[in-house]
Amino acid sequence: MAQRRSSKPESGQSNTEQKPSASVAAGPELASAWKRFKEIAQTQRFKSICAIVLLAFVLFTLIAMISFIFVGNADFSISSQPLSYRFAHHGEIKNVMGIIGSDLVYALVCRSFGWASIAFLVFMVIVAVDLLGKKQSLLRAFFASSFWLIWGSIVLSLIPLKSLNYSLGGAHGLYVSEYLKSLLHPLGTILVLIAILIIFLIAIDKDTIPRCKSAWQWLKDKLSRKRQEPIETPSDTEISEQTPAEGHTDESVTDDDDQIVALDPDDDTLVLDISDVSDQPSESAPVPQEPDDNFVIVDTAGSEQTTDDDATDQANNAAGGSDDLPAEEAEEQQTSESDKTGDLDMDIEVNYEEILSKDPDYFLRKLGPYDPHLDLSRYTFPSISLLKTYPNESTPVIDMDEQQANKALIVRTFRSFSIEIVSIRATIGPTVTLYEIVPKEGTRINRIQTLEKDIMLSLSANGIRIIAPIPGKGTVGIEVPNKKPQIVSMHSVIASKRFQEEKKMHLPVVIGKTITNEVFMFDLAKTPHLLVAGATGQGKSVGLNAIITSLLYKKHPTELKFVLVDPKMVEFTLFEPLIRHYMAAMPDQEEIIITDCQKVINTLNSLVIEMEDRYMLLMDAHVRNLEDYNEKFVNRRLNPTKEVKNSHGGTQHHRFLPYLVIIIDEFGDFIMQAGKQVETPIARITQKARAVGMHMILATQRPSVNIVTGVIKANIPTRIAFRTQSMIDSRTVLDSKGAEGLVGKGDMLYSGGTELTRIQCAFVDTPEVENIVKYISEQQHFSVPYQLPEYVGEGEEGEALAPGSVDLKRLDPMFKEVATYVVTKQEGSTSKLQRAFEIGYNRAGKLSDQLEAAGIVGPNKGPKGRDVLVQDMTQLAQILEDLGL
């Protein structure tokens, strides 16, 4: 018995003398074949072939159905016969697709769902488009197609056509419709089908009810206007002579009518809402209708900073709506307006605030939530298929021989120094394997830390890192580079379930994979700023591209804007085509990627002004951060017409605020050139800008103490270190050693607080970035980049002068053009200059002061604007000649 027991293999061991059976041998081959098939099925080439087959089938079926319309009755007698009869008489088939096409259409149209089978073909087209790389919601498309297939079949069967030999809804529709009519009679059947259609539309589209309400409100308004308006209508000549309201153009009209009107319950004022105009000028601007005497135009976009002069302009425009009224009514209206304070904007503000104070959700119920994506409603995020795939990118490459050899060498090295190891286990990552050892009780940790060079020598490795101990574990970690490192592709991390399903992060960034082969993500909005450092050629630029790519895959252009600074002039040029989607710039800035040191100084100071302006808006809205502010604006709890002071003496309006991500590559170059001029605004932004949605990423290849200063480090707690040249550089960046022992090529350490995480940065190649940028740039876009406030440094041309110190020898380059505009239009409002010439408030105010000093306009009268003193071009020409222009 003892011999029998010993002859059996122990648990966990295999009997090498036992021959494997045929089924066991066939098992791995079958699994390998199935795995190979799955790999082939996931390739784009295989998907494209399937898509072409589907599209060919749809086209074949569609042509056969069209032919069936004309020859259906002729083929009906043959198609309804047995198979042998059909083949015997195939020559009599009239369908252009032959007997197969005739049989296919007969099966679809006559024997199943009738002409509603077109929904099935539409679904197949959607599947083909998805296979070609244009991602579609297949589940949504399946349920929608199924509904139209079944519902349409029943409805079509209710249409009686005695001239046909079949039902339009096919056999299914005929059977179900007859059954329903027997239960509910025809009228009841129709009502039930209509109810089912309405329920389906409400379930599949959340905007169905608001659209129905808007349509009902529009119909009521039309009917009420027809009762009030006289029968006479102006002739075509009179209509052509009418001019649109000043400040607006009729180049394009939007078709978004779901957010139109709201009626104040306390009075008869009808508010026309144009809140869906973005703070960035879009390609198509809405054309407001000429207001009646009971209309108040509410511009909720707040796209530009305005002064008190603008309030008078709005009042004059609103009052100008009485031109179409009879003379007596117009005179009566002007008299009533003159009795008021003259500031119509204040009336609007008080009215809006009163409604909000009484019922904060009033405008939300009437107009629905504000949609920040409405200006670019057709924008689609880039597809994952634009990224390159690599073999075995989802699973680590395991080399058991290498693992066993490294374990033995580690144990031997420790024993040579009289350190016993209780256990050792390996965790394989894409480029590094972590060996966790449990030393014998009583072993001093500092002895293990001193063996780093000896272990590196025994393993013949180009760099190892000892973690003694691993935080949260009773083990010591030894990170050893793999002999065959694996590429972590951007496709593998972007396509990961964690990144695709992430909803809580405001600015999700997926940077790579950890040594446990897990996707590593962090929220840039919570970071809130980032310092990236490392020696030349170790992967900083690829890391920055990975961060930008992550954000492009997650954030809509209306939610995110970039400011890119690149002294090397070649790193960020790939993103230049995104100028009208994702970029922010100062007015009149020619190059969207900033490379010049003086422009960097101006841009940073402009960002400081933007930060202060945003804080003014948050303070007025009584919120603490950008997320709460935007939520309040989306829920229409902020008055978009209310004038809020900005940081430079002007006014601004509440608007939807996008995140601003400022990326400065090699900022050490600017520190060396400009010193405090660059460091000071960077410090101010990193100190305060988090709450207003402005986040800075600084990158440098010289992480010395004079570049990464204490002021910068104090406000940037999150750091990423690629391989550094020395331990001193590693301590400068991370406040810890370790970065000098990295293997390079994207190997990095992430410090988000007290712990260091080793990550292999995801690799995104230049062609991949080009594909993504090309895909985005070809879509719907804004007309100009996001406008930052204008900043003019001291002593520069165009600097705003103090009141009373206007120097006519240093006129603005636009002075002549602006003076001609003011005299021609007879309007001296500063806000009008802002809009007409698309300049900032500082420059417009300076031009107004110069026009006043030249005697072209009078002094500022507050809300009433400036009087134009020059009445004709001859007088202006004389003034310009005296000024030498």
Side-chain angles (χ1 to χ4, degrees):
M1 293 295 292
Q3 290 179 353
R4 289 181 181 178
R5 289 195 188 98
S6 61
S7 65
K8 295 181 181 179
E10 296 181 1
S11 176
Q13 296 180 350
S14 60
N15 190 348
T16 55
E17 297 181 0
Q18 183 179 1
K19 296 182 179 180
S21 63
S23 59
V24 175
E29 295 180 1
L30 184 61
S32 176
W34 173 247
K35 184 178 180 181
R36 178 60 180 163
F37 173 76
K38 284 172 58 178
E39 291 178 356
I40 295 175
Q42 292 176 355
T43 61
Q44 189 57 45
R45 182 183 299 178
F46 181 82
K47 292 179 181 179
S48 300
I49 294 173
C50 295
I52 293 173
V53 172
L54 283 176
L55 291 175
F57 174 77
V58 170
L59 183 61
F60 178 89
T61 308
L62 193 60
I63 295 175
M65 293 177 76
I66 294 174
S67 178
F68 185 79
I69 296 174
F70 301 98
V71 299
N73 289 336
D75 293 342
F76 191 90
S77 58
I78 301 176
S79 299
S80 58
Q81 299 299 322
L83 182 63
S84 57
Y85 181 86
R86 295 203 302 273
F87 276 102
H89 297 79
H90 66 87
E92 302 176 17
I93 296 295
K94 303 296 183 182
N95 196 300
V96 296
M97 290 291 127
I99 187 172
I100 296 179
S102 177
D103 289 352
L104 179 61
V105 176
Y106 178 78
L108 288 175
V109 175
C110 300
R111 305 302 302 170
S112 56
F113 294 93
W115 289 99
S117 301
I118 294 176
F120 170 70
L121 300 181
V122 172
F123 174 71
M124 296 187 70
V125 172
I126 295 174
V127 173
V129 171
D130 181 81
L131 291 173
L132 289 174
K134 302 291 184 180
K135 292 298 180 182
Q136 306 291 325
S137 178
L138 295 183
L139 185 62
R140 180 187 177 93
F142 172 76
F143 283 113
S145 301
S146 300
F147 172 82
W148 292 117
L149 188 71
I150 298 172
W151 186 86
S153 173
I154 300 171
V155 171
L156 290 174
S157 295
L158 296 176
I159 303 175
L161 288 178
K162 297 181 179 179
S163 58
L164 298 178
N165 297 329
Y166 62 93
S167 171
L168 291 177
H172 166 267
L174 182 62
Y175 176 80
V176 176
S177 62
E178 291 296 332
Y179 181 74
L180 290 176
K181 285 191 291 185
S182 66
L183 293 176
L184 305 172
H185 296 289
L187 180 59
T189 301
I190 294 173
L191 293 176
V192 168
L193 290 174
I194 294 174
I196 293 174
L197 176 62
I198 295 174
I199 293 172
F200 169 75
L201 293 177
I202 294 174
I204 202 171
D205 188 0
K206 62 181 180 181
D207 295 330
T208 300
I209 295 178
R211 285 172 180 165
C212 293
K213 289 182 178 179
S214 299
W216 175 249
Q217 185 66 35
W218 176 83
L219 182 60
K220 287 172 62 178
D221 294 339
K222 283 289 184 181
L223 295 175
S224 61
R225 286 186 189 179
K226 285 184 179 180
R227 297 191 192 100
Q228 295 175 5
E229 291 179 356
I231 299 177
E232 288 186 0
T233 57
S235 62
D236 295 339
T237 306
E238 292 174 343
I239 293 175
S240 64
E241 291 176 356
Q242 293 176 358
T243 58
E246 192 160 0
H248 300 281
T249 61
D250 56 354
E251 294 178 358
S252 59
V253 181
T254 59
D255 56 355
D256 302 302
D257 295 326
D258 55 332
Q259 302 184 32
I260 300 296
V261 295
L263 187 62
D264 189 343
D266 297 330
D267 53 31
D268 294 328
T269 302
L270 191 61
V271 180
L272 175 63
D273 183 83
I274 52 173
S275 61
D276 290 327
V277 181
S278 170
D279 60 340
Q280 301 300 312
S282 59
E283 291 183 326
S284 58
V287 180
Q289 298 176 351
E290 197 69 16
D292 294 333
D293 57 339
N294 61 342
F295 270 83
V296 176
I297 297 180
V298 179
D299 184 2
T300 60
S303 59
E304 295 180 302
Q305 299 169 346
T306 60
T307 62
D308 290 338
D309 301 347
D310 199 28
T312 305
D313 301 331
Q314 294 177 4
N316 293 336
N317 288 340
S322 61
D323 293 343
D324 294 336
L325 298 175
E328 294 180 0
E329 292 184 23
E331 185 177 354
E332 212 173 76
Q333 179 180 351
Q334 292 176 3
T335 304
S336 63
E337 290 295 331
S338 63
D339 292 339
K340 297 181 181 179
T341 59
D343 193 353
L344 182 60
D345 190 64
M346 290 299 296
D347 293 338
I348 299 172
E349 178 183 331
V350 171
N351 187 20
Y352 204 109
E353 295 294 338
E354 282 183 358
I355 296 174
L356 287 176
S357 62
K358 293 178 181 178
D359 185 2
D361 296 328
Y362 171 77
F363 291 103
L364 180 64
R365 289 197 307 270
K366 289 295 182 181
L367 305 174
Y370 171 75
D371 183 9
H373 300 170
L374 190 59
D375 276 350
L376 300 185
S377 58
R378 298 191 302 273
Y379 177 85
T380 57
F381 287 95
S383 170
I384 302 177
S385 61
L386 299 173
L387 298 171
K388 184 179 179 181
T389 58
Y390 293 84
N392 300 321
E393 63 178 19
S394 301
T395 55
V397 178
I398 301 175
D399 189 340
M400 295 303 298
D401 295 335
E402 179 184 350
Q403 276 191 53
Q404 297 299 330
N406 287 341
K407 285 181 181 180
L409 289 172
I410 291 173
V411 172
R412 185 186 308 166
T413 303
F414 273 74
R415 284 179 178 173
S416 65
F417 289 92
S418 302
I419 298 176
E420 292 295 327
I421 296 177
V422 177
S423 65
I424 182 171
R425 61 184 297 269
T427 302
I428 302 173
T431 57
V432 176
T433 298
L434 173 64
Y435 294 91
E436 294 185 55
I437 63 174
V438 179
K440 188 176 181 180
E441 187 176 355
T443 304
R444 297 179 64 87
I445 296 297
N446 58 355
R447 288 188 61 194
I448 298 177
Q449 291 176 325
T450 59
L451 299 179
E452 182 174 332
K453 301 294 183 182
D454 300 282
I455 297 174
M456 186 185 304
L457 177 64
S458 64
L459 295 176
S460 302
N462 59 355
I464 68 169
R465 176 170 170 260
I466 295 180
I467 311 171
I470 296 177
K473 295 183 178 181
T475 59
V476 175
I478 303 175
E479 294 174 349
V480 181
N482 298 333
K483 292 182 180 179
K484 295 180 181 180
Q486 178 185 2
I487 295 177
V488 176
S489 67
M490 199 69 200
H491 178 273
S492 65
V493 295
I494 292 290
S496 65
K497 182 178 180 181
R498 183 180 178 189
F499 181 77
Q500 291 295 323
E501 296 181 356
E502 176 56 53
K503 301 295 182 184
K504 295 181 179 180
M505 294 184 181
H506 299 294
L507 290 174
V509 173
V510 57
I511 194 69
K513 291 185 178 181
T514 65
I515 58 176
T516 58
N517 218 49
E518 296 178 354
V519 173
F520 185 85
M521 289 181 60
F522 64 91
D523 188 358
L524 184 60
K526 299 292 178 64
T527 304
H529 310 287
L530 186 63
L531 175 63
V532 181
T536 304
Q538 302 304 313
K540 292 190 310 300
S541 298
V542 175
L544 294 178
N545 286 343
I547 293 173
I548 297 174
T549 303
S550 301
L551 296 173
L552 292 179
Y553 268 92
K554 273 293 187 179
K555 304 305 290 184
H556 194 273
T558 57
E559 299 173 330
L560 173 67
K561 302 297 176 184
F562 289 103
V563 176
L564 302 181
V565 180
D566 179 19
K568 291 186 279 189
M569 304 182 186
V570 294
E571 295 296 340
F572 292 147
T573 53
L574 294 173
F575 299 101
E576 196 167 359
L578 303 183
I579 177 173
R580 291 183 291 182
H581 287 89
Y582 283 99
M583 295 300 174
M586 293 175 61
D588 305 323
Q589 181 175 318
E590 297 179 358
E591 298 179 357
I592 197 65
I593 309 298
I594 308 164
T595 57
D596 180 69
C597 184
Q598 185 58 48
K599 292 181 180 178
V600 171
I601 296 172
N602 293 343
T603 302
L604 289 174
N605 284 281
S606 174
L607 289 167
V608 172
I609 297 174
E610 173 76 11
M611 177 184 69
E612 298 293 346
D613 289 349
R614 290 188 172 204
Y615 267 111
M616 294 284 191
L617 292 174
L618 265 65
M619 182 176 63
D620 185 76
H622 304 290
V623 294
R624 301 178 63 181
N625 53 57
L626 181 81
E627 291 77 22
D628 294 343
Y629 175 87
N630 281 339
E631 182 181 0
K632 207 168 183 179
F633 187 84
V634 167
N635 291 328
R636 301 188 183 272
R637 294 193 174 189
L638 295 176
N639 183 358
T641 63
K642 182 180 180 181
E643 291 189 349
V644 181
K645 290 184 179 180
N646 56 27
S647 60
H648 46 275
T651 58
Q652 57 183 335
H653 296 280
H654 288 295
R655 62 191 185 275
F656 185 85
L657 298 177
Y659 287 98
L660 276 176
V661 176
I662 307 107
I663 304 179
I664 305 179
D665 191 11
E666 195 45 61
F667 79 99
D669 186 62
F670 299 121
I671 294 290
M672 294 179 64
Q673 292 184 54
K676 293 292 183 182
Q677 288 182 290
V678 172
E679 183 181 354
T680 300
I682 287 178
R684 290 198 64 191
I685 292 172
T686 54
Q687 283 174 349
K688 294 178 56 179
R690 170 184 179 177
V692 292
M694 298 171 61
H695 305 279
M696 181 168 284
I697 300 175
L698 302 177
T700 182
Q701 63 184 9
R702 296 194 298 271
S704 55
V705 291
N706 62 328
I707 301 298
V708 185
T709 62
V711 175
I712 292 177
K713 286 180 62 177
N715 297 294
I716 306 180
T718 306
R719 294 90 178 263
I720 289 177
F722 292 86
R723 184 175 185 177
T724 58
Q725 294 180 345
S726 65
M727 184 188 300
I728 297 175
D729 290 345
S730 175
R731 290 189 181 277
T732 302
V733 180
L734 301 173
D735 297 326
S736 173
K737 67 175 185 178
E740 75 282 357
L742 300 176
V743 297
K745 295 183 179 180
D747 190 18
M748 69 182 193
L749 291 174
Y750 174 89
S751 172
T754 57
E755 296 184 9
L756 292 180
T757 305
R758 191 164 185 175
I759 303 167
Q760 177 61 41
C761 182
F763 177 69
V764 52
D765 204 359
T766 300
E768 298 176 76
V769 177
E770 290 176 344
N771 292 337
I772 296 170
V773 170
K774 182 181 178 183
Y775 179 88
I776 296 175
S777 62
E778 292 175 350
Q779 295 195 59
Q780 184 185 15
H781 54 73
F782 297 110
S783 58
V784 294
Y786 180 87
Q787 296 295 297
L788 297 175
E790 185 179 17
Y791 171 81
V792 181
E794 295 183 2
E796 296 182 17
E797 184 179 8
E799 177 188 359
L801 300 173
S805 60
V806 177
D807 186 1
L808 293 180
K809 294 182 181 179
R810 296 179 57 200
L811 294 175
D812 190 282
M814 295 180 64
F815 179 84
K816 184 176 181 180
E817 183 181 359
V818 172
T820 304
Y821 171 83
V822 169
V823 175
T824 303
K825 299 291 186 179
Q826 288 295 301
E827 294 174 347
S829 170
T830 303
S831 60
K832 285 295 180 72
L833 298 184
Q834 283 184 260
R835 292 197 298 269
F837 295 96
E838 296 182 354
I839 57 178
Y841 171 77
N842 284 344
R843 192 173 184 182
K846 183 227 24 170
L847 282 164
S848 296
D849 291 340
Q850 292 180 356
L851 291 171
E852 179 185 353
I856 298 174
V857 298
N860 188 11
K861 294 184 178 181
K864 295 183 179 180
R866 298 173 183 262
D867 295 329
V868 181
L869 306 179
V870 178
Q871 302 300 322
D872 54 54
M873 297 302 296
T874 304
Q875 186 179 357
L876 175 63
Q878 183 63 41
I879 294 175
L880 295 177
E881 184 179 353
D882 295 340
L883 294 174
L885 299 176

